[in-house]
Each structure stands twice: as structure tokens, then as C-alpha cells.
Amino acid sequence: MAKPRRNIQFQHRGSNAHDGRRPSVSEVSESPSEPGSPVKAGMNGKVEVSTEEVQSAPLGPALTETPELTEYEKKKQTFITRTIWTFIMIAFFFVAMFSGHIYIIGIITTIQIISFKEVIAIANVPSRAKGLKFTRSLNWYFLGIAMYYLYGESVIYYFKHIVLVDKVLLPFATHHRFISFMLYTIGQLSYSYCAIDAASTDTGDTGFVFFVGSLQKGHYRFQFTQFAWTHMALYLIVVQAHFVMNNIFEGMIWFFLPASLVITNDIFAYICGIAFGRTQLIKLSPKKTVEGFVGAWVFTVIFGIGMTNVLMRYSYFICPVDDLGANIFTGLTCTPNPVFLPQAYSLPAWTNISRTFHIAPMQFHILVFATFASLIAPFGGFFASGLKRTFKVKDFGESIPGHGGITDRMDCQFIMGFFAFMYYQSFIAVYKASVGGVMEMAIQGLSGEDQVEVVRGLAKYLVNQGVVAEGVLECLNGELGPRRR
């Protein structure tokens, strides 16, 4: 039996020489061979470990490490994870879309917040400014104000008939823009003041109202860089997402179709690029090829025509939202936009073919949508790639396993949704008087007495048309008092 070892010390690297942990094989090999130790010198001068001693000894962390995965195995694992989460996101999206518009609005809101957080996070803060107070809080303050303004504009525009008749909401609706402006101005003032107050040691507490006169040399760059970066993020994310939300109010098709076109283009660009991609498209994304770019365009157009033909048949997709509680089962009712109704088209006379085709105008509009999704929207992704390269990061975040951050998946969707809204308002929307619009004109443009006269006149008209009973008119005249002269 070997004698017990006393006062035997092993040499270790770093500061962990006497931390009491079991030495790893690499550490043991740096010390001389001792009697009774599981180490012996080899013929070539290298230190070898006795197999019997290692097998009889407890396994340490170094001996239980898993072998490093090969490049192929890493790509395979990433592909599997990415595919699984792709199907999870698609399933979640369809469940939310069929459940109702309010759930899609909730998803867009969540995407706005997370994307803003990811974009703000990648900006490096100068080392001397790391101790600044309230900078991060004010970034979120600006986000809140921007969302308050944009959401308020949408609610007031699409739900005037509800907001303008509510005693509590009416003041907020009529002064919404002024309230938003004042909140933004206060935030802008306090943003710069907090930066100066925290960064300067010789600046007194002058109050945020007088901060402009307190700007000091040496802090300008940080203040204005952070201010500009925050506003860029608000524009690229929050403002564009606001128009995506307006598309939902105009009809689910104006949200789902642009989003599905971008997804389809992304999928087929990947497939076509792998199948026959040879020519590099842009240096910002070395894996993008011209063949994949053009091939995805063709397949996106085909998909768009087919999907449009399906969606036009369901009122749930083509009707504007008048009830946020509606879902795929309750449906929506409306007079369809003429763009969804087949119209007669004839070939030009010079073709000598006298034949008439009945096609919905939407089938022509979808060609423009598919072309934009294929040829223009991908540059939103290229822009995001350039931004990530600027800050030397691979992804904006790790919100989605295998995909990176939310912003990595939405970089093309934001600009596509913005385009869809502008195109719809310019070439497709039908403008006519609405209940909310008439009520807004009456409330904001007429006095109380004039509004009473409008009610009397409408009541009398409805009685003459047989829509309401004559007793309603008599009741109104009794409650509203004598007619003014």
C-alpha cells in the first residue's frame, strides 16, 4: 500500500491554485510526477496519466466534457431549432388571426415594444456616460408617448362614433394632439437635463426648464447621439408598425396578404438560392444571390395571385373592422370594396381577339404588392444587416430560438406594411361619409342649439321615411323643448 502523501502541492495557473477544487488533467500534467500519483513521465518527456488511477478516481469536470460539435452538426441543430420555431410562430399567428382583430393588435404592440428594446440595446454607451441617470427610462418614456399619440390617432379615426359621444373620452379626443405634443416636449427637455445633471459635477440644480442654457462642452455628442438614435428607432419601428395596425382596421386582408408575401419571398429566396444560386447579390448579405432573388419574385407573384383569390371570398378578411370582438366564426358584414368585385375587361383591338374576361381589380393590384415584397422589401433586411455590422453583432437579440431577435424577423415586414397602407389609401380606398365623420363635424363645428336642430331634422326625416314611429318625433320635441326661431 502506498504511503499517505503529506504536504504535496500541485502547481496551478491563475488565481485558483488554492481554491480547494479538484485539479483537471491539464493542471495535473503541469506538475512533476509524484509517487503514488496517477501521473508518470513518458519516454518522449510528456506527462501521461495512469489509466487505472483515472478509472478508479471520481470523474472531474474536465473528464466529463462533451465533445465539441462539428460544423455540420451545428448547422443541423440550428436548422432543426429554426424549423420547429418557425412552425410554432406560424401556428400561433393563425390562431391569433382567426381569434379576432384585437389579438393581432396585441401581437403588433408586443412586437413594437420588443423591437424597440432590441434596437436601443445595440447602441453602445460611451464609457464616461455609463453612469448617467434616467437615460434608459426616458427612452421608454419616448416610446410610450409615441405609442400614445399613434394609437390615439387610430382609435379616434376608426371609432369616432364611440369616442366622441363619451363624456370622459371626448376631451382627450378633441385635444389629443396637443396633449401628445406637450408630453413629448416635456420628455425632450427632461431627457437632455437628466443627461447633463448626471454627467456634470459643477452644474447646479437649475431645473429642467432651464436646461438649454446649461449644456456644457464635452457632453454634446452623447446627448444628441442618444436623442437621434432613440428617434430613429421610433420612426423605423413604432411609426411603421402604426401603419401596419391601420391596415388591420381597414380589413384583415391588408395585413395578412403583405405579411404572407414577405414570408413567402423569404422562403423561396432561400430555396432558389440553394438550388441554383451562383451570383452574389449584395456584399452586406454574402449568402444572397441574384438567382434566389429573381426566383423568389416569380414564386411570390404566383402565391399572391392564388392567395388573393382565396381571401376575397371571405367577408372576415375584406371587411373593415367595426367590432373588435369579431372572429372567424362570427364574421363581419359590409358592402365589399369594388376592388374585390369581378369586372369585365376586353383585349385591345389590335389583338383581333374579341373576348371578354371577368377579373377582380385586386388581381392586378396584387402584382404590385408581390413585386414590392420581392424587389424592395428585402432591402429592409439589407439595411438591418448593415446596422448589425456597424455595431458588430450577429443578431438584434435572442427572443426567438434559431432566429435571433424579433427585429431580425420583422425588418422587411415594417416597410412592407408601410407600403401596403400608402398604396391602399392612394389607389384602393373608397372615401365616403361615415357615421363617425358626420358626428365629428356636428360636435366640433356646430353649437349646442345647432346640434339639437340636426337631431330634430333627422328625426322628422326618419319618420317620413317610415324608419321610426311618429311617437319618437313627438317624444323628442317634448324633451328638447320648443323649436328656436
Side-chain angles (χ1 to χ4, degrees), residues 111-122:
I111 289 174
Q112 277 182 318
I113 296 173
I114 297 177
S115 297
F116 180 82
K117 175 185 176 183
E118 292 175 348
V119 171
I120 289 296
I122 68 172

Side-chain angles (χ1 to χ4, degrees), residues 57-315:
L59 293 177
L63 299 180
T64 58
E65 291 181 357
T66 56
E68 186 177 354
L69 297 176
T70 63
E71 191 67 23
Y72 170 77
E73 291 173 336
K74 289 180 180 179
K75 290 183 178 180
K76 181 180 178 181
Q77 192 175 42
T78 302
F79 176 79
I80 294 174
T81 303
R82 188 185 183 103
T83 302
I84 292 174
W85 276 94
T86 297
F87 283 107
I88 291 175
M89 289 189 294
I90 292 175
F92 179 76
F93 172 77
F94 275 100
V95 170
M97 183 175 64
F98 293 147
S99 298
H101 300 75
I102 190 66
Y103 296 97
I104 294 295
I105 292 174
I107 291 176
I108 298 299
T109 303
T110 304
I111 289 174
Q112 277 182 318
I113 296 173
I114 297 177
S115 297
F116 180 82
K117 175 185 176 183
E118 292 175 348
V119 171
I120 289 296
I122 68 172
N124 294 323
V125 179
S127 58
R128 64 178 178 178
K130 287 183 179 180
L132 292 180
K133 298 184 297 183
F134 308 121
T135 301
R136 186 174 181 181
S137 299
L138 286 167
N139 285 336
W140 289 104
Y141 176 83
F142 278 120
L143 173 64
I145 295 305
M147 294 181 68
Y148 170 78
Y149 170 71
L150 296 172
Y151 277 62
E153 288 288 305
S154 296
V155 171
I156 294 171
Y157 180 81
Y158 290 103
F159 300 99
K160 295 175 183 176
H161 57 288
I162 298 176
V163 176
L164 296 178
V165 298
D166 189 278
K167 185 177 180 179
V168 177
L169 297 179
L170 179 60
F172 291 96
T174 53
H175 304 101
H176 172 69
R177 294 179 179 176
F178 180 76
I179 294 172
S180 301
F181 173 76
M182 292 306 300
L183 290 173
Y184 169 79
T185 303
I186 293 172
Q188 181 176 353
L189 294 175
S190 60
Y191 187 98
S192 296
Y193 170 72
C194 290
I196 297 170
D197 184 60
S200 304
T201 57
D202 57 347
T203 300
D205 187 8
T206 58
F208 75 89
V209 176
F210 303 102
F211 85 97
V212 176
S214 302
L215 289 172
Q216 291 188 358
K217 185 178 181 180
H219 300 296
Y220 299 138
R221 176 171 296 182
F222 170 75
Q223 292 172 223
F224 288 104
T225 298
Q226 291 296 311
F227 187 77
W229 181 259
T230 301
H231 283 67
M232 185 199 74
L234 291 175
Y235 170 73
L236 293 178
I237 297 172
V238 182
V239 173
Q240 293 190 110
H242 161 70
F243 293 108
V244 175
M245 193 168 301
N246 285 352
N247 292 339
I248 299 173
F249 290 125
E250 296 291 351
M252 188 66 80
I253 190 173
W254 305 113
F255 164 75
F256 175 73
L257 202 55
S260 61
L261 288 174
V262 171
I263 295 172
T264 301
N265 182 262
D266 191 32
I267 293 173
F268 280 100
Y270 177 76
I271 295 174
C272 294
I274 291 179
F276 42 84
R278 297 292 183 273
T279 309
Q280 187 182 48
L281 177 65
I282 187 170
K283 292 183 178 180
L284 279 174
S285 296
K287 296 181 180 180
K288 303 292 184 181
T289 62
V290 175
E291 293 80 4
F293 193 70
V294 176
W297 178 23
V298 175
F299 283 102
T300 303
V301 170
I302 296 173
F303 170 83
I305 294 173
M307 182 57 67
T308 301
N309 189 42
V310 173
L311 297 180
M312 289 192 304
R313 302 176 184 178
Y314 300 96
S315 61

